[in-house]
Amino acid sequence: MPTVHKVKFPKAGVQTEASHQGRTEANRDIYGSSRWKKTSKNHLRNHPFCIRCAAIGKQTLATVTDHIVPINQDGEPWDPENHQSLCLKCHQKKSARERHQQKHA
């Protein structure tokens, strides 16, 4: 039976300036909405494992519904084809790469 790696959840309400990632008002109108919370919860229910960990043979529970194409780069926020399940560690790595690319663009 495969091993499921547990992931620590971030503390509620803790955000840094970096969490805005170049977004205006951090897209609060989307991420703070009940519609997004339901969308994200349903996505994680249907796709419970991190796709990036799965690509390297690890089975890690996903904790984040991520936009493949970020909203601040004209990604469609409500399109299920633009959603992917990530663990917190993979999401942080992806976000850091996006911030780096944005600085050097």
Side-chain angles (χ1 to χ4, degrees), residues 7-10 16 21 52 63-64 66 86-99:
V7 177
K8 292 181 183 179
F9 288 89
T16 64
Q21 300 172 16
R52 294 201 173 184
T63 57
V64 179
D66 177 65
L86 297 176
C87 67
L88 181 60
K89 187 174 180 178
C90 289
H91 185 258
Q92 288 172 334
K93 286 179 183 179
K94 177 182 180 270
S95 296
R97 264 192 310 278
E98 289 168 354
R99 281 192 305 274

Short mmCIF file of all heavy atoms in Angstrom, two decimals, residues 7-10 16 21 52 63-64 66 86-99:
data_model
loop_
_atom_site.label_atom_id
_atom_site.label_comp_id
_atom_site.label_asym_id
_atom_site.label_seq_id
_atom_site.Cartn_x
_atom_site.Cartn_y
_atom_site.Cartn_z
N VAL A 7 0.73 16.69 5.17
CA VAL A 7 1.22 18.04 4.96
C VAL A 7 0.65 18.92 6.04
O VAL A 7 -0.53 18.83 6.38
CB VAL A 7 0.77 18.57 3.57
CG1 VAL A 7 1.20 20.00 3.37
CG2 VAL A 7 1.31 17.67 2.48
N LYS A 8 1.49 19.80 6.60
CA LYS A 8 1.01 20.74 7.61
C LYS A 8 0.21 21.85 6.93
O LYS A 8 0.60 22.35 5.89
CB LYS A 8 2.18 21.35 8.37
CG LYS A 8 2.91 20.35 9.23
CD LYS A 8 4.04 21.02 9.98
CE LYS A 8 4.80 19.99 10.78
NZ LYS A 8 5.91 20.61 11.51
N PHE A 9 -0.90 22.23 7.54
CA PHE A 9 -1.72 23.31 7.02
C PHE A 9 -1.19 24.63 7.54
O PHE A 9 -0.71 24.72 8.67
CB PHE A 9 -3.18 23.14 7.47
CG PHE A 9 -3.89 22.02 6.77
CD1 PHE A 9 -3.87 20.73 7.29
CD2 PHE A 9 -4.55 22.24 5.59
CE1 PHE A 9 -4.50 19.70 6.64
CE2 PHE A 9 -5.19 21.21 4.93
CZ PHE A 9 -5.18 19.95 5.46
N PRO A 10 -1.27 25.70 6.74
CA PRO A 10 -0.83 27.01 7.23
C PRO A 10 -1.77 27.50 8.31
O PRO A 10 -2.94 27.12 8.35
CB PRO A 10 -0.91 27.88 5.97
CG PRO A 10 -1.89 27.22 5.09
CD PRO A 10 -1.79 25.74 5.39
N THR A 16 1.77 36.90 4.29
CA THR A 16 2.87 37.84 4.15
C THR A 16 2.60 38.68 2.92
O THR A 16 1.73 38.36 2.11
CB THR A 16 4.20 37.09 3.97
OG1 THR A 16 4.14 36.36 2.76
CG2 THR A 16 4.47 36.16 5.14
N GLN A 21 1.60 38.21 -4.55
CA GLN A 21 2.17 37.78 -5.82
C GLN A 21 1.79 38.70 -6.99
O GLN A 21 1.49 38.25 -8.08
CB GLN A 21 1.75 36.35 -6.13
CG GLN A 21 2.22 35.38 -5.09
CD GLN A 21 1.65 34.02 -5.28
OE1 GLN A 21 1.14 33.71 -6.36
NE2 GLN A 21 1.71 33.20 -4.28
N ARG A 52 1.95 17.37 -8.59
CA ARG A 52 3.41 17.46 -8.76
C ARG A 52 4.13 16.36 -7.98
O ARG A 52 5.10 15.81 -8.47
CB ARG A 52 3.90 18.84 -8.35
CG ARG A 52 3.35 19.89 -9.31
CD ARG A 52 4.13 21.14 -9.29
NE ARG A 52 3.62 22.01 -10.34
CZ ARG A 52 4.13 23.16 -10.64
NH1 ARG A 52 5.18 23.60 -9.98
NH2 ARG A 52 3.62 23.89 -11.60
N THR A 63 -3.64 20.27 -0.47
CA THR A 63 -4.32 21.19 0.44
C THR A 63 -4.73 22.49 -0.26
O THR A 63 -5.40 23.32 0.33
CB THR A 63 -3.42 21.55 1.63
OG1 THR A 63 -2.20 22.10 1.13
CG2 THR A 63 -3.12 20.32 2.48
N VAL A 64 -4.30 22.65 -1.52
CA VAL A 64 -4.53 23.90 -2.24
C VAL A 64 -5.09 23.61 -3.63
O VAL A 64 -4.58 22.75 -4.34
CB VAL A 64 -3.21 24.70 -2.40
CG1 VAL A 64 -3.44 25.98 -3.18
CG2 VAL A 64 -2.59 24.98 -1.05
N ASP A 66 -5.04 25.22 -6.96
CA ASP A 66 -4.20 26.23 -7.59
C ASP A 66 -4.69 26.53 -8.99
O ASP A 66 -5.22 25.65 -9.67
CB ASP A 66 -2.76 25.70 -7.67
CG ASP A 66 -1.83 26.64 -8.37
OD1 ASP A 66 -1.61 27.76 -7.84
OD2 ASP A 66 -1.31 26.28 -9.45
N LEU A 86 -2.57 20.87 -5.39
CA LEU A 86 -1.17 20.89 -4.96
C LEU A 86 -1.09 20.79 -3.44
O LEU A 86 -1.99 21.26 -2.73
CB LEU A 86 -0.48 22.19 -5.38
CG LEU A 86 -0.34 22.48 -6.88
CD1 LEU A 86 0.27 23.85 -7.09
CD2 LEU A 86 0.48 21.42 -7.57
N CYS A 87 0.00 20.20 -2.95
CA CYS A 87 0.28 20.27 -1.53
C CYS A 87 0.85 21.66 -1.25
O CYS A 87 1.23 22.39 -2.17
CB CYS A 87 1.25 19.17 -1.10
SG CYS A 87 2.93 19.34 -1.76
N LEU A 88 0.92 22.03 0.00
CA LEU A 88 1.39 23.37 0.34
C LEU A 88 2.82 23.61 -0.15
O LEU A 88 3.13 24.67 -0.70
CB LEU A 88 1.30 23.59 1.86
CG LEU A 88 1.75 24.96 2.35
CD1 LEU A 88 0.90 26.06 1.73
CD2 LEU A 88 1.68 25.01 3.87
N LYS A 89 3.70 22.63 0.02
CA LYS A 89 5.10 22.78 -0.38
C LYS A 89 5.22 23.03 -1.89
O LYS A 89 5.93 23.94 -2.32
CB LYS A 89 5.88 21.53 0.01
CG LYS A 89 7.36 21.65 -0.21
CD LYS A 89 8.07 20.42 0.35
CE LYS A 89 9.56 20.51 0.15
NZ LYS A 89 10.26 19.37 0.73
N CYS A 90 4.50 22.25 -2.70
CA CYS A 90 4.55 22.44 -4.15
C CYS A 90 3.92 23.77 -4.56
O CYS A 90 4.39 24.45 -5.47
CB CYS A 90 3.86 21.28 -4.87
SG CYS A 90 4.81 19.74 -4.79
N HIS A 91 2.85 24.18 -3.87
CA HIS A 91 2.22 25.46 -4.18
C HIS A 91 3.16 26.61 -3.87
O HIS A 91 3.28 27.57 -4.64
CB HIS A 91 0.92 25.61 -3.39
CG HIS A 91 0.17 26.84 -3.74
ND1 HIS A 91 0.18 27.97 -2.94
CD2 HIS A 91 -0.60 27.15 -4.81
CE1 HIS A 91 -0.56 28.91 -3.51
NE2 HIS A 91 -1.04 28.44 -4.64
N GLN A 92 3.88 26.52 -2.75
CA GLN A 92 4.83 27.57 -2.40
C GLN A 92 5.96 27.66 -3.42
O GLN A 92 6.38 28.75 -3.79
CB GLN A 92 5.38 27.34 -0.99
CG GLN A 92 4.35 27.61 0.08
CD GLN A 92 4.81 27.21 1.46
OE1 GLN A 92 5.65 26.33 1.63
NE2 GLN A 92 4.24 27.84 2.48
N LYS A 93 6.45 26.51 -3.89
CA LYS A 93 7.51 26.50 -4.90
C LYS A 93 7.01 27.13 -6.20
O LYS A 93 7.71 27.93 -6.83
CB LYS A 93 7.99 25.08 -5.17
CG LYS A 93 8.84 24.51 -4.08
CD LYS A 93 9.24 23.09 -4.43
CE LYS A 93 10.05 22.45 -3.33
NZ LYS A 93 10.41 21.05 -3.66
N LYS A 94 5.79 26.78 -6.62
CA LYS A 94 5.23 27.33 -7.85
C LYS A 94 5.05 28.84 -7.72
O LYS A 94 5.40 29.60 -8.62
CB LYS A 94 3.89 26.66 -8.16
CG LYS A 94 3.21 27.23 -9.41
CD LYS A 94 1.86 26.58 -9.65
CE LYS A 94 1.20 27.14 -10.89
NZ LYS A 94 0.36 28.29 -10.64
N SER A 95 4.54 29.28 -6.58
CA SER A 95 4.33 30.71 -6.36
C SER A 95 5.64 31.47 -6.36
O SER A 95 5.73 32.57 -6.91
CB SER A 95 3.60 30.93 -5.03
OG SER A 95 2.31 30.36 -5.09
N ALA A 96 6.68 30.89 -5.77
CA ALA A 96 7.99 31.54 -5.75
C ALA A 96 8.54 31.68 -7.17
O ALA A 96 9.09 32.73 -7.53
CB ALA A 96 8.96 30.74 -4.88
N ARG A 97 8.37 30.63 -7.99
CA ARG A 97 8.81 30.70 -9.39
C ARG A 97 8.07 31.80 -10.13
O ARG A 97 8.66 32.55 -10.91
CB ARG A 97 8.57 29.35 -10.09
CG ARG A 97 9.77 28.46 -10.12
CD ARG A 97 9.58 27.29 -11.06
NE ARG A 97 8.35 26.55 -10.88
CZ ARG A 97 8.16 25.59 -9.96
NH1 ARG A 97 9.14 25.26 -9.15
NH2 ARG A 97 7.02 24.98 -9.86
N GLU A 98 6.77 31.89 -9.91
CA GLU A 98 5.96 32.91 -10.57
C GLU A 98 6.39 34.31 -10.16
O GLU A 98 6.48 35.22 -10.99
CB GLU A 98 4.47 32.70 -10.28
CG GLU A 98 3.91 31.47 -10.98
CD GLU A 98 2.53 31.08 -10.49
OE1 GLU A 98 2.01 31.68 -9.51
OE2 GLU A 98 1.96 30.15 -11.09
N ARG A 99 6.69 34.50 -8.87
CA ARG A 99 7.16 35.81 -8.38
C ARG A 99 8.50 36.16 -9.04
O ARG A 99 8.71 37.28 -9.47
CB ARG A 99 7.29 35.83 -6.87
CG ARG A 99 6.00 36.01 -6.12
CD ARG A 99 6.21 36.30 -4.66
NE ARG A 99 7.03 35.32 -3.97
CZ ARG A 99 6.59 34.19 -3.43
NH1 ARG A 99 5.31 33.88 -3.51
NH2 ARG A 99 7.41 33.37 -2.80
#
